[in-house]
Amino acid sequence: QVHLAESGGGLVKPGGSLRLSCATSGFTFSDYYMNWIRQAPGKGLEWLSYISSRDNLVSYADSVRGRLTISRDNAKNSLYLQMENLRAEDTAVYYCATSPTHAGHFDFWGQGTLVTVSS
Amino acid sequence: SYVLTQPPSLSVAPGSTARISCGGDNIGTKSVHWYQQKAGQAPVSVIYYDNVRPSGIPERFSASNSGNTATLTIARVEAGDEADYYCQVWDTKNDNCVFGSGTTVTVL
């Protein structure tokens, strides 16, 4: 069955960097758009970025553009998120999620990885 | 940017019908997707493209979308339906996804 597993979260100081990974299995990874979505403690869902299935088209939310970089490796069935210049407000659970089409819905989600930005 | 408005909370009795609204400017012209998030868990898709249920989602879940309001309806509410529910659309002007602020459904 479909499985997504995020990793790479942890405690980082303000201004620091972190790289999140999302390992996937159970579906044809290269057929799907992939997304990063986060949820701050006690708050709602915030979409961050998507990357297209094969031609690496990307889009970012205004709140993170310039500090986050999404990438994927279709040979490894994996998705990545490089985060730079982290701020306290970036503290959240970060989810990866699949989309079967551009501008569609998110049909499968990972369980998330917690990023805490604190000194 | 496009804004989706949901009521923060909704309390319903078991066996009754819950209706969760999602307001947005001409949302009826957009495809609306709905997610359920139980405490401590990742979100799960319950409705996509206005009123399509993923496999495994009970028929009790349905939705509509017209004018400035989309609505998720949960018929014959059960204790297990207690969760946060989020609507979602795509803002094609800036190629960004937009989530509603979420509605906490409490089963009395």
Side-chain angles (χ1 to χ4, degrees), chain A residues 81-104:
Chain A
L81 186 68
Q82 179 68 39
M83 303 189 294
E84 308 285 350
N85 190 23
L86 286 163
R87 308 163 180 166
E89 53 265 35
D90 294 317
T91 294
V93 173
Y94 286 71
Y95 296 101
C96 58
T98 62
S99 295
T101 62
H102 170 251

Side-chain angles (χ1 to χ4, degrees), chain B residues 51-87:
Chain B
N51 195 18
V52 180
R53 276 180 293 104
S55 61
I57 300 301
E59 292 183 7
R60 301 185 297 105
F61 287 81
S62 64
S64 61
N65 183 22
S66 179
N68 293 315
T69 305
T71 303
L72 175 69
T73 301
I74 311 172
R76 301 178 298 283
V77 167
E78 303 174 355
D81 298 330
E82 195 162 271
D84 294 330
Y85 291 84
Y86 295 90
C87 55

Side-chain angles (χ1 to χ4, degrees), chain A residues 39 50 59-60 101-102 106 110, chain B residues 35 37 42 49 86 95-96:
Chain A
Q39 187 171 35
Y50 80 72
S59 180
Y60 296 96
T101 62
H102 170 251
F106 308 116
Chain B
Y35 304 89
Q37 186 180 31
Y49 290 118
Y86 295 90
D95 198 24
N96 275 196

Side-chain angles (χ1 to χ4, degrees), chain A:
Chain A
Q1 72 269 28
V2 173
H3 186 64
L4 297 87
E6 303 89 343
S7 61
L11 177 63
V12 60
K13 288 181 168 49
S17 302
L18 211 56
R19 188 192 195 212
L20 305 183
S21 299
C22 172
T24 74
S25 62
F27 65 105
T28 305
F29 181 75
S30 57
D31 283 348
Y32 281 76
Y33 280 63
M34 294 298 297
N35 302 263
W36 287 101
I37 296 158
R38 72 182 177 186
Q39 187 171 35
K43 302 297 184 181
L45 300 171
E46 180 187 15
W47 173 84
L48 299 176
S49 179
Y50 80 72
I51 185 167
S52 63
S53 54
R54 297 175 192 271
D55 51 7
N56 289 332
L57 294 177
V58 298
S59 180
Y60 296 96
D62 290 344
S63 60
V64 298
R65 187 175 292 113
R67 296 192 301 119
L68 269 55
T69 303
I70 191 171
S71 62
R72 65 190 294 160
D73 186 335
N74 285 350
K76 295 183 178 180
N77 295 330
S78 293
L79 174 73
Y80 307 100
L81 186 68
Q82 179 68 39
M83 303 189 294
E84 308 285 350
N85 190 23
L86 286 163
R87 308 163 180 166
E89 53 265 35
D90 294 317
T91 294
V93 173
Y94 286 71
Y95 296 101
C96 58
T98 62
S99 295
T101 62
H102 170 251
H105 68 296
F106 308 116
D107 48 358
F108 297 106
W109 299 62
Q111 284 304 305
T113 187
L114 176 62
V115 172
T116 302
V117 184
S118 174
S119 54

